[in-house]
Amino acid sequence: MSTPHVVVVMGVAGTGKTTIGPLLAAELGVPYAEGDDFHPPANIAKMSAGTPLEDADRWPWLDAIGQWAHGRAGLGGVVSSSALKRAYRDRLRAEAPGAVFLHLTGDRALIERRMADRKGHFMPTALLDSQFATLQPLREDEAGVAVDVSGTPEEITDRAVAALRRLEN
């Protein structure tokens, strides 16, 4: 990529943001930041208990991610964030206007299987329905691409890099 972008890897829980994000960052030669690390402890406690976050819970989290992305402007970086609603992506773009989004998409059954196989993650599969209900896919006026999550992490990453390169043209 000519000018390093800050890429926000987005999607519902279980799409592989934490797996694909570091692989993408390595491929692009930029740092990776795990979006879950920006959550305050109260948010993690809520999700661990199976309670979906409310928008008021998300604003400080999104602001922290946006501030990290802003700090990487012109340098490039990859950060994960569910960024399920347009309003959340708008909030991130308010902090980091040049950010582009990589929306990891996939079949619900595949995502649920992958979530069930995860060990030590705070997000229970019970919240998957609320994630899909909340999801507002990228719109044409939003800088970003959608990539299907079927296949190996390496195949997904290759598709993501190719899609992001096409975005530049």
Side-chain angles (χ1 to χ4, degrees):
M1 301 177 96
S2 52
T3 303
H5 288 289
V6 175
V7 179
V8 179
V9 181
M10 63 168 280
V12 299
T15 53
K17 295 181 295 291
T18 299
T19 300
I20 303 307
L23 292 173
L24 179 64
E27 190 69 29
L28 299 177
V30 297
Y32 171 73
E34 171 56 52
D36 287 342
D37 293 344
F38 293 90
H39 273 298
N43 284 9
I44 293 173
K46 247 183 149 171
M47 290 183 286
S48 295
T51 304
L53 297 180
E54 296 175 16
D55 286 353
D57 301 317
R58 288 187 179 92
W59 300 138
W61 171 66
L62 291 166
D63 291 343
I65 292 170
Q67 289 162 9
W68 183 90
H70 177 77
R72 297 299 310 164
L75 303 170
V78 175
V79 63
S80 59
S81 170
S82 52
L84 297 177
K85 287 185 181 179
R86 171 71 185 250
Y88 305 161
R89 297 188 297 272
D90 288 346
R91 185 96 175 203
L92 290 168
R93 277 190 295 270
E95 291 284 339
V100 298
F101 292 85
L102 169 63
H103 182 186
L104 298 178
T105 64
D107 173 76
R108 190 197 183 289
L110 170 66
I111 294 167
E112 186 172 20
R113 276 195 310 278
R114 288 183 179 173
M115 281 184 78
D117 290 341
R118 294 194 304 191
K119 303 290 183 253
H121 195 277
F122 60 81
M123 178 69 82
T125 57
L127 289 183
L128 190 55
D129 287 335
S130 73
Q131 294 256 303
F132 273 105
T134 301
L135 177 63
Q136 296 172 345
L138 289 173
R139 296 188 187 137
E140 283 187 27
D141 66 330
E142 295 184 89
V145 295
V147 172
D148 183 74
V149 296
S150 58
T152 67
E154 293 75 19
E155 291 168 338
I156 299 162
T157 302
D158 288 346
R159 284 195 302 271
V161 169
L164 289 165
R165 288 203 169 116
R166 283 191 302 274
L167 186 64
E168 288 186 338
N169 299 331

